[in-house]
């Protein structure tokens, strides 16, 4: 399964959780002191918010996949059209451990392509040490 990922920066987490919980009709599946995530079953979306002192609004879009093969396929399709890509590899970010590739569309929109493989205790990205 693939899900659209949307990340939005907010300045008031409590107000944003109240708003998005009402919009999605359910509470977040993950809530931390600076982050919340919803995975509404009827939308096929991974929607996340995090506290930002500046740069609020849509931070980036993405595609979350369930299998590494799907990530390889996405990377291959974008490589075939010479898209700008950065293979971040395995990282801890957004309270998850993931394998990630970043791409930028022709308009400059950042896209995060990733497969979540575990949990993490941190919001900020950090490479996983092998």
């Amino acid at each position: 399964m693939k899900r659209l990922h949307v990340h939005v920066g907010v300045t008031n987490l409590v107000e944003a959780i109240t708003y998005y919980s009402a919009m999605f009709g359910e509470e977040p599946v993950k809530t931390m002191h600076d982050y919340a995530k919803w995975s509404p079953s009827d939308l096929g979306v991974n929607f996340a918010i995090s506290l930002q002192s500046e740069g609020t609004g849509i931070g980036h879009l993405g595609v979350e996949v369930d299998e590494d093969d799907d990530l390889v396929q996405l990377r291959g399709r974008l490589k075939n059209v010479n898209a700008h890509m950065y293979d971040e590899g395995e990282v801890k970010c957004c309270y998850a451990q993931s394998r990630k590739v970043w791409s930028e569309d022709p308009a400059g929109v950042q896209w995060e392509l990733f497969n979540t493989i575990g949990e993490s205790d941190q919001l900020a990205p950090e490479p996983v040490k092998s």
Side-chain angles (χ1 to χ4, degrees), residues 53-110:
S53 59
E54 52 189 64
T56 59
I58 294 177
H60 63 271
L61 300 172
V63 176
E64 180 182 20
V65 299
D66 289 334
E67 303 291 332
D68 284 339
D69 289 345
D70 293 327
L71 192 57
V72 170
Q73 185 180 46
L74 278 170
R75 184 187 304 129
R77 289 197 311 245
L78 290 172
K79 185 176 180 180
N80 285 341
V81 296
N82 297 316
H84 173 73
M85 288 188 298
Y86 167 68
D87 192 343
E88 191 172 22
E90 203 167 301
V91 296
K92 293 180 180 179
C93 176
C94 302
Y95 300 101
Q97 186 171 336
S98 304
R99 292 185 184 93
K100 291 187 184 188
V101 175
W102 287 89
S103 185
E104 185 176 300
D105 78 4
V109 175
Q110 295 293 307

Side-chain angles (χ1 to χ4, degrees), residues 6 11-12 16 19 27 29 40 45-46 50 52 58 60 66-67 72 76 79 82 92-93 95 100 102 111 114 117:
V6 178
T11 56
N12 186 314
Y19 177 86
E27 296 300 311
V29 295
V45 67
N46 165 337
S50 64
Q52 306 285 318
I58 294 177
H60 63 271
D66 289 334
E67 303 291 332
V72 170
K79 185 176 180 180
N82 297 316
K92 293 180 180 179
C93 176
Y95 300 101
K100 291 187 184 188
W102 287 89
W111 282 85
F114 64 101
I117 56 174

